[in-house]
Amino acid sequence: MKIRLASSITMDSIVDGPGLRAVLWTQGCHHKCKNCHNPQTHDFHGGFEVAVEEVIEEINKLKLQRGITLSGGDPFEQPEALIEICKETKKLGLDIWAYTGYTFEELMDIKNPKYFKWAHLLEYIDVLVDGRFIEEKKDLLLKFRGSRNQRIIDVRKSLNAKKTMLHLEYMEEMNIAK
Ligand code: SF4
C-alpha cells in the first residue's frame, strides 16, 4: 500500500503536540480554509507517493521522539495507509496526535460513507486537533492550533464515553471547568 506525502518526516517538532515529535505531512485536502499555511498540500496529485512499509521503517528508527503527529493536508483523506502506520507506531510505545479539518463529530457520523475507516483510524489516535482553520478566529497565542474554533480532543476518553471529551491541555487554556 502507498501513502501520498507532501514532504519527508519532520523531526523534533515542538509545535505539533507535546514533547519532541516526528511529523508526517500527508498530501491532499478538500477543506480550502482561507489563508491555509500549507496550500501546497491541497492537491491530491501533488507531493509524492511512498510505500507504507518505508514510512514504518523510518518510524522504527526514530530516537528521542515522544510521539508522531499526523498533519497535512488532511490525514483523514488517507485512512487505510495511516491505519497501518499507526498500528506499528503504537507497538513502539509512541503517542499519536492528528490534525484534521473535519470536526470530531463529522468523523464520528455513522451516516458518512467514510465512517468505518475514520473510526478505525481514530482507534489508534490519542489526541485530535479538529476543525477547519478560520482566519477570523486566528490567535497566535493558542497552543498547538491556529484558530479558536479548533479543539484539542482526548480521543481515547471520547471513544470510551461515546461523546466529545476535551483534552486537559485545551480545557486549561480555555479556562473550562473539569
Ligand atoms: S484543513 Fe488544514 S491543510 Fe486543509 S485547508 Fe484547512 S488549514 Fe489547510
Side-chain angles (χ1 to χ4, degrees), residues 29-33 36-38 41-42 72-74 100-101 131-133 150:
C29 180
H30 285 298
H31 301 296
K32 298 190 175 64
C33 306
C36 163
H37 283 274
N38 298 321
T41 65
H42 295 179
D74 196 318
T100 179
R132 294 151 186 81
F133 169 70
Q150 294 171 315

mmCIF file of all heavy atoms in Angstrom, residues 29-33 36-38 41-42 72-74 100-101 131-133 150, ligand 1:
data_model
loop_
_atom_site.group_PDB
_atom_site.id
_atom_site.type_symbol
_atom_site.label_atom_id
_atom_site.label_comp_id
_atom_site.label_asym_id
_atom_site.label_seq_id
_atom_site.Cartn_x
_atom_site.Cartn_y
_atom_site.Cartn_z
ATOM 1 N N CYS A 29 -6.081 17.767 0.525
ATOM 2 C CA CYS A 29 -7.050 18.343 1.473
ATOM 3 C C CYS A 29 -8.162 19.016 0.692
ATOM 4 O O CYS A 29 -7.907 19.741 -0.262
ATOM 5 C CB CYS A 29 -6.359 19.345 2.398
ATOM 6 S SG CYS A 29 -7.510 20.066 3.579
ATOM 7 N N HIS A 30 -9.417 18.769 1.108
ATOM 8 C CA HIS A 30 -10.599 19.334 0.439
ATOM 9 C C HIS A 30 -11.069 20.638 1.073
ATOM 10 O O HIS A 30 -11.937 21.292 0.533
ATOM 11 C CB HIS A 30 -11.797 18.371 0.601
ATOM 12 C CG HIS A 30 -11.738 17.166 -0.257
ATOM 13 N ND1 HIS A 30 -11.731 17.231 -1.623
ATOM 14 C CD2 HIS A 30 -11.697 15.849 0.055
ATOM 15 C CE1 HIS A 30 -11.688 16.007 -2.119
ATOM 16 N NE2 HIS A 30 -11.659 15.157 -1.120
ATOM 17 N N HIS A 31 -10.566 20.979 2.260
ATOM 18 C CA HIS A 31 -11.262 21.982 3.070
ATOM 19 C C HIS A 31 -11.140 23.435 2.606
ATOM 20 O O HIS A 31 -12.008 24.246 2.923
ATOM 21 C CB HIS A 31 -10.837 21.856 4.531
ATOM 22 C CG HIS A 31 -11.127 20.522 5.116
ATOM 23 N ND1 HIS A 31 -12.407 20.037 5.268
ATOM 24 C CD2 HIS A 31 -10.310 19.523 5.539
ATOM 25 C CE1 HIS A 31 -12.364 18.813 5.786
ATOM 26 N NE2 HIS A 31 -11.098 18.481 5.955
ATOM 27 N N LYS A 32 -10.068 23.749 1.915
ATOM 28 C CA LYS A 32 -9.903 25.103 1.335
ATOM 29 C C LYS A 32 -10.053 26.229 2.369
ATOM 30 O O LYS A 32 -10.760 27.217 2.132
ATOM 31 C CB LYS A 32 -10.914 25.334 0.201
ATOM 32 C CG LYS A 32 -10.755 24.377 -0.973
ATOM 33 C CD LYS A 32 -11.615 24.825 -2.149
ATOM 34 C CE LYS A 32 -11.392 23.985 -3.368
ATOM 35 N NZ LYS A 32 -11.766 22.566 -3.255
ATOM 36 N N CYS A 33 -9.464 26.080 3.533
ATOM 37 C CA CYS A 33 -9.530 27.128 4.550
ATOM 38 C C CYS A 33 -8.804 28.380 4.020
ATOM 39 O O CYS A 33 -7.718 28.266 3.446
ATOM 40 C CB CYS A 33 -8.846 26.678 5.838
ATOM 41 S SG CYS A 33 -9.462 25.119 6.476
ATOM 42 N N CYS A 36 -4.804 29.211 4.487
ATOM 43 C CA CYS A 36 -4.161 27.989 4.992
ATOM 44 C C CYS A 36 -2.640 28.166 4.902
ATOM 45 O O CYS A 36 -2.132 28.725 3.934
ATOM 46 C CB CYS A 36 -4.619 26.819 4.124
ATOM 47 S SG CYS A 36 -3.582 25.354 4.285
ATOM 48 N N HIS A 37 -1.929 27.653 5.915
ATOM 49 C CA HIS A 37 -0.465 27.799 5.932
ATOM 50 C C HIS A 37 0.232 26.802 5.012
ATOM 51 O O HIS A 37 1.408 26.951 4.719
ATOM 52 C CB HIS A 37 0.068 27.628 7.365
ATOM 53 C CG HIS A 37 -0.151 28.842 8.193
ATOM 54 N ND1 HIS A 37 0.741 29.891 8.214
ATOM 55 C CD2 HIS A 37 -1.166 29.195 8.999
ATOM 56 C CE1 HIS A 37 0.271 30.838 9.014
ATOM 57 N NE2 HIS A 37 -0.887 30.437 9.500
ATOM 58 N N ASN A 38 -0.491 25.751 4.598
ATOM 59 C CA ASN A 38 0.142 24.721 3.773
ATOM 60 C C ASN A 38 -0.613 24.477 2.467
ATOM 61 O O ASN A 38 -1.001 23.348 2.169
ATOM 62 C CB ASN A 38 0.219 23.386 4.556
ATOM 63 C CG ASN A 38 1.050 23.510 5.801
ATOM 64 O OD1 ASN A 38 2.074 24.176 5.811
ATOM 65 N ND2 ASN A 38 0.604 22.856 6.863
ATOM 66 N N THR A 41 -0.146 21.541 0.070
ATOM 67 C CA THR A 41 -0.555 20.170 0.440
ATOM 68 C C THR A 41 -1.990 19.840 -0.012
ATOM 69 O O THR A 41 -2.481 18.754 0.265
ATOM 70 C CB THR A 41 -0.483 19.965 1.971
ATOM 71 O OG1 THR A 41 -1.457 20.823 2.598
ATOM 72 C CG2 THR A 41 0.886 20.267 2.531
ATOM 73 N N HIS A 42 -2.673 20.768 -0.702
ATOM 74 C CA HIS A 42 -4.086 20.547 -1.043
ATOM 75 C C HIS A 42 -4.284 19.579 -2.209
ATOM 76 O O HIS A 42 -5.209 18.771 -2.202
ATOM 77 C CB HIS A 42 -4.771 21.870 -1.402
ATOM 78 C CG HIS A 42 -4.836 22.815 -0.250
ATOM 79 N ND1 HIS A 42 -5.385 24.064 -0.337
ATOM 80 C CD2 HIS A 42 -4.390 22.697 1.032
ATOM 81 C CE1 HIS A 42 -5.292 24.675 0.846
ATOM 82 N NE2 HIS A 42 -4.695 23.867 1.675
ATOM 83 N N GLY A 72 -0.925 17.795 7.629
ATOM 84 C CA GLY A 72 -1.043 17.823 6.160
ATOM 85 C C GLY A 72 -1.257 19.218 5.635
ATOM 86 O O GLY A 72 -0.792 20.175 6.249
ATOM 87 N N GLY A 73 -2.160 19.196 4.572
ATOM 88 C CA GLY A 73 -3.087 18.157 4.117
ATOM 89 C C GLY A 73 -4.062 17.727 5.223
ATOM 90 O O GLY A 73 -4.019 18.229 6.322
ATOM 91 N N ASP A 74 -4.938 16.818 4.843
ATOM 92 C CA ASP A 74 -5.808 16.224 5.856
ATOM 93 C C ASP A 74 -5.544 14.723 5.925
ATOM 94 O O ASP A 74 -5.884 13.986 5.000
ATOM 95 C CB ASP A 74 -7.286 16.501 5.552
ATOM 96 C CG ASP A 74 -8.136 16.235 6.778
ATOM 97 O OD1 ASP A 74 -7.888 15.207 7.462
ATOM 98 O OD2 ASP A 74 -9.029 17.038 7.083
ATOM 99 N N THR A 100 -6.862 17.575 11.749
ATOM 100 C CA THR A 100 -7.810 17.378 10.649
ATOM 101 C C THR A 100 -8.688 18.608 10.489
ATOM 102 O O THR A 100 -8.942 19.330 11.464
ATOM 103 C CB THR A 100 -8.714 16.153 10.909
ATOM 104 O OG1 THR A 100 -9.634 16.020 9.822
ATOM 105 C CG2 THR A 100 -9.501 16.262 12.198
ATOM 106 N N GLY A 101 -9.143 18.836 9.256
ATOM 107 C CA GLY A 101 -10.095 19.928 9.013
ATOM 108 C C GLY A 101 -11.520 19.502 9.349
ATOM 109 O O GLY A 101 -12.418 20.338 9.462
ATOM 110 N N GLY A 131 -11.180 20.534 13.221
ATOM 111 C CA GLY A 131 -11.854 21.697 12.655
ATOM 112 C C GLY A 131 -10.996 22.471 11.668
ATOM 113 O O GLY A 131 -9.775 22.465 11.737
ATOM 114 N N ARG A 132 -11.708 23.154 10.773
ATOM 115 C CA ARG A 132 -11.022 23.953 9.755
ATOM 116 C C ARG A 132 -10.324 25.154 10.394
ATOM 117 O O ARG A 132 -10.745 25.605 11.465
ATOM 118 C CB ARG A 132 -12.047 24.417 8.708
ATOM 119 C CG ARG A 132 -12.640 23.252 7.913
ATOM 120 C CD ARG A 132 -14.052 23.550 7.446
ATOM 121 N NE ARG A 132 -14.669 22.392 6.801
ATOM 122 C CZ ARG A 132 -15.229 21.365 7.464
ATOM 123 N NH1 ARG A 132 -15.245 21.343 8.786
ATOM 124 N NH2 ARG A 132 -15.765 20.368 6.802
ATOM 125 N N PHE A 133 -9.311 25.682 9.726
ATOM 126 C CA PHE A 133 -8.673 26.921 10.176
ATOM 127 C C PHE A 133 -9.559 28.077 9.727
ATOM 128 O O PHE A 133 -9.876 28.207 8.548
ATOM 129 C CB PHE A 133 -7.271 27.044 9.562
ATOM 130 C CG PHE A 133 -6.660 28.398 9.762
ATOM 131 C CD1 PHE A 133 -6.255 28.801 11.023
ATOM 132 C CD2 PHE A 133 -6.515 29.278 8.695
ATOM 133 C CE1 PHE A 133 -5.705 30.065 11.224
ATOM 134 C CE2 PHE A 133 -5.971 30.537 8.887
ATOM 135 C CZ PHE A 133 -5.562 30.925 10.151
ATOM 136 N N GLN A 150 -10.841 25.628 16.707
ATOM 137 C CA GLN A 150 -10.224 24.298 16.702
ATOM 138 C C GLN A 150 -10.082 23.801 18.140
ATOM 139 O O GLN A 150 -9.735 24.571 19.034
ATOM 140 C CB GLN A 150 -8.865 24.350 15.992
ATOM 141 C CG GLN A 150 -9.024 24.659 14.514
ATOM 142 C CD GLN A 150 -7.717 24.937 13.816
ATOM 143 O OE1 GLN A 150 -6.871 25.671 14.315
ATOM 144 N NE2 GLN A 150 -7.544 24.361 12.641
HETATM 145 S S1 SF4 B 1 -7.723 21.674 6.801
HETATM 146 FE FE1 SF4 B 1 -5.609 22.313 7.202
HETATM 147 S S2 SF4 B 1 -4.473 21.846 5.315
HETATM 148 FE FE2 SF4 B 1 -6.655 21.766 4.810
HETATM 149 S S3 SF4 B 1 -7.106 23.832 4.012
HETATM 150 FE FE3 SF4 B 1 -7.619 23.806 6.209
HETATM 151 S S4 SF4 B 1 -5.764 24.555 7.245
HETATM 152 FE FE4 SF4 B 1 -5.167 23.948 5.143
#
